[in-house]
Each structure stands twice: as structure tokens, then as C-alpha cells.
Amino acid sequence: MRLDAWAKVNLTLHVTGRRADGYHELDSLIVFAGTGDTLEIGAAKDVTLTLSGPGAEALAPEFDKPEAENLVLRAARALKDRYAARDGAALHLVKRLPVAAGLGGGSADAAAALRGLNAHWKLAASPETLHEIAAALGADVPVCLYGKACYVSGIGERIAPTGALPPVWLVLVNPGVPLATPAVFRARAGAFTSPHRPAGPLRDLDSLVAYLKAGRNDLEAAARRLVPDIDRVLDALGGMPGCHLARMSGSGATCFGLFGNEDVARAAAARISAARTAWWVSAAPVVEAS
């Protein structure tokens, strides 16, 4: 069994408050780009995980710690324990997304593990049960489990569908600098903002772009102070022909450019890759999880 773990992209991200337990309340329009990791699942007596791919080296330190540090293994064991599953699973993760990049890569991998092992072990776990397990693993895991364009609020547990969005392409660019989410939240300054939702459906490119331009990413300024290369990424994306909007995703440092079709997106990605060979660059359509 092979499952895609697509990149999560925050097209908007508003920090609306902070709870007593220290977690921040967010309001975000999230989509998934058709680029990401692959999780392969095979039969085994025990639950094991191996890695390959260009991003595998960045995850290697997690295997010097207790196994519970890795989200894929945590997801597998949480599901196995919940249902007292007797079988194991040989998990192999092909890691392509950059780590600590604002793309929810680890959360997408964990969500793929929950979806795949639910089928592999024939557990018939309900969507509600999988959501409960996902929420206990991390704030981004529930939305990655959902896997479709949606509005997310709370600390990530409240998910509402957007309805159909127009077909668009994204060019994702990371400058090769990992950026820890807690550091960005600590560096954030200013008041909290209000939730930002559209007045009606976002059925065409013009209405989507107008809505996005009326919003923002409240973590972007803090991330740019911590990683000045984000400024260069945004300048590169914003200067590409056909780019309707350039913005940072999540807590960074990955940024996206929004394009109306595949040809202009791939042309922009090729130009940026040629000019900045050390950057991670990927052009991809907005997709739904399979």
C-alpha cells in the first residue's frame, strides 16, 4: 500500500487569541499541494519505520531519541493500542518535503499512517475516532487527515469545508533554513486579529485572490525577522510573471506563489530553481487527499 502525504499550505493564517494553556487560537484557509512524501505499508510482525528520500537525513536525529518522538510511529502505535491490533506493519517513508518548513510534513505523514493502517489492519475506525487520535498527536494532524481545502479554527481541531475552489497552482519555495514553530510564536508581536471568512463562495480565481489579499499570515513578520532569506523568497515569487500572490505558509520558512495554471507555475519554478540552486522549489496543483 502506498499513500500520498501532501504538503499543507496555509493560504491565510490569523492568530485570533491565546488560551490559558498557552496554545494559540488560529483562523486559517488551508489547502493541500500535490507535492509531498510517500508512505509505504507492508506486512510485518512488529511496527517498524525506515526512511529514504532527500529529506531523510533531516529526520535521522529522531531515531537517536525514543521512538515515540517520531510522529509516524506515534500514530501507528496510538491506532494499534486503541484497537489492540495484533499485527505489525513495515512502514517506509519517502521523505521529500523539507523539515520544519511550515508545510505540515510530519503531520501529513502521521495522517497517512492513520488512514493507511486503518485499512491495512481492517479496523474500520470511524472518521470521528481517527480525528480524536489525530488531535492527540498534534495540532496539524486532524486537518492533514481531512486532506481537503478547509477553514480551520481553534488550535486546529475545528474544521469546516470551503466548498469548491477554482483550480489553481502553487509554487512552493523554501530557502533551506529550518524554522521551529515555537520560536516564531515567541517572536510574534502585536494584537490578535479577527477571524477572516469570505462573504460567499470562492468559485473563480478573481474572488479567491481578492479574498486572500484581504487577509494575511500573522506569523510572517516574525518569521522574516528570524530568517531574512524569507524576504528574498517572497521577492523572487512575487516577481514571477503570472503570480497573483506571494505569501509565507504556516510558521515558515516555506512561501508560496499562487498561479492560475500549470504552464506559468512550472515556468516560474524553473526560473527560480535555476537562479537559486540551493533552494527547495516545487510547482504543484491544489489537490485532495486520496
Side-chain angles (χ1 to χ4, degrees), residues 16-111:
T16 60
R18 187 174 184 178
R19 305 191 323 188
D21 61 8
Y23 283 96
H24 286 82
E25 299 265 354
L26 306 174
D27 183 76
S28 181
L29 169 54
I30 288 176
V31 297
F32 292 85
T35 184
D37 304 333
T38 302
L39 183 68
E40 302 170 358
I41 302 177
K45 291 183 179 179
D46 299 314
V47 174
T48 61
L49 175 63
T50 55
L51 301 171
S52 65
E57 185 177 353
L59 287 185
E62 293 187 6
F63 289 82
D64 297 327
K65 303 175 183 178
E67 289 182 325
E69 293 291 329
N70 183 275
L71 261 183
V72 171
L73 286 172
R74 285 177 57 198
R77 293 202 168 96
L79 189 64
K80 182 178 175 66
D81 291 347
R82 180 68 171 261
Y83 287 90
R86 295 182 178 181
D87 294 335
L91 306 173
H92 180 75
L93 180 64
V94 183
K95 189 67 183 173
R96 301 184 186 92
L97 294 177
V99 174
L103 296 174
S107 296
D109 299 338

Side-chain angles (χ1 to χ4, degrees), residues 96-103 171-179 227 229-230 233-234 237 248-249 251-256 272 276-282:
R96 301 184 186 92
L97 294 177
V99 174
L103 296 174
V171 175
L172 304 176
V173 181
N174 183 278
V177 181
L179 185 55
V227 180
D229 276 351
I230 293 173
V233 170
L234 289 169
L237 283 166
M248 190 182 79
S249 174
S251 58
T254 303
C255 302
F256 68 88
I272 294 172
R276 297 280 190 170
T277 56
W279 288 0
W280 178 86
V281 182
S282 182

Side-chain angles (χ1 to χ4, degrees), residues 196 202 204-215 244 258:
H196 177 59
L202 303 173
D204 56 52
L205 180 60
D206 288 343
S207 62
L208 175 62
V209 170
Y211 168 70
L212 295 180
K213 286 184 175 180
H244 294 276
L258 181 72

Side-chain angles (χ1 to χ4, degrees), residues 119-141:
H120 181 71
W121 288 331
K122 299 179 173 62
L123 301 177
S126 69
E128 293 77 16
T129 299
L130 291 178
H131 180 95
E132 178 187 335
I133 297 171
L137 293 168
D140 280 341
V141 184

Side-chain angles (χ1 to χ4, degrees), residues 2-6 115 145-147 287-290:
R2 297 166 63 92
L3 298 101
D4 296 314
W6 297 132
R115 287 196 307 269
L145 185 66
Y146 183 73
V287 296
E288 294 187 2
S290 55

Side-chain angles (χ1 to χ4, degrees), residues 100 102 140 179-186 219 250-252:
D140 280 341
L179 185 55
T181 297
V184 179
F185 273 101
R186 286 194 297 269
L219 298 179
S251 58

